[in-house]
Amino acid sequence: MTRPENENARYAQVLRHEGLIFVAGQVSTDLSRGFADQARDVMRAVDDCLAQAGGRGGRLLSVTVYLRDVEDVPHLNEVWDRWLSGRSRPVRTLVSAKLWHPDCRIEASAVGVA
């Protein structure tokens, strides 16, 4: 099991175990931005975590997306399609949720292949 050096005291942001990479929930670092910008930030953070743990080409198996408002699903799909352009499609689960901050509109966790 490999953990990065900069992990939170309570949990790891990313963990590699037996060829799988588990990415903790990622949110935008700028919650003042609109949904599409927050979604791009989140997807970039997932890719960064995969790369940090040694993932090749961001090979995703599964992504769980938490949305503050299900009205954002069409906007999510637009950003999602650009994000995964040319890559294999992972399993995706969408959850409507009250997120940790009122301005946070999206959070995502993922599982990838090392």
Side-chain angles (χ1 to χ4, degrees):
M1 184 166 21
T2 305
R3 294 184 185 185
E5 293 296 321
N6 62 345
E7 73 179 60
N8 182 294
R10 291 185 182 91
Y11 61 92
Q13 285 294 312
V14 61
L15 181 100
R16 181 174 168 169
H17 182 69
E18 294 187 11
L20 295 176
I21 300 170
F22 299 88
V23 178
Q26 301 296 305
V27 296
S28 175
T29 56
D30 185 354
L31 300 181
S32 68
R33 298 168 67 187
F35 179 83
D37 287 330
Q38 285 192 33
R40 280 189 285 275
D41 288 348
V42 166
M43 292 172 195
R44 192 172 14 258
V46 167
D47 282 340
D48 290 348
C49 286
L50 287 172
Q52 180 182 0
R56 295 181 297 249
R59 292 178 52 202
L60 290 167
L61 299 177
S62 175
V63 180
T64 301
V65 180
Y66 303 90
L67 297 178
R68 182 184 78 185
D69 187 346
V70 293
E71 301 284 327
D72 285 325
V73 169
H75 306 296
L76 169 65
N77 288 337
E78 290 175 22
V79 175
W80 180 271
D81 290 343
R82 282 193 298 276
W83 180 47
L84 293 177
S85 179
R87 293 163 56 173
S88 61
R89 303 280 187 204
V91 170
R92 181 174 89 175
T93 301
L94 290 175
V95 179
S96 176
K98 181 177 179 179
L99 300 176
W100 71 278
H101 189 281
D103 294 332
C104 183
R105 298 182 62 182
I106 180 172
E107 180 172 345
S109 61
V111 178
V113 176

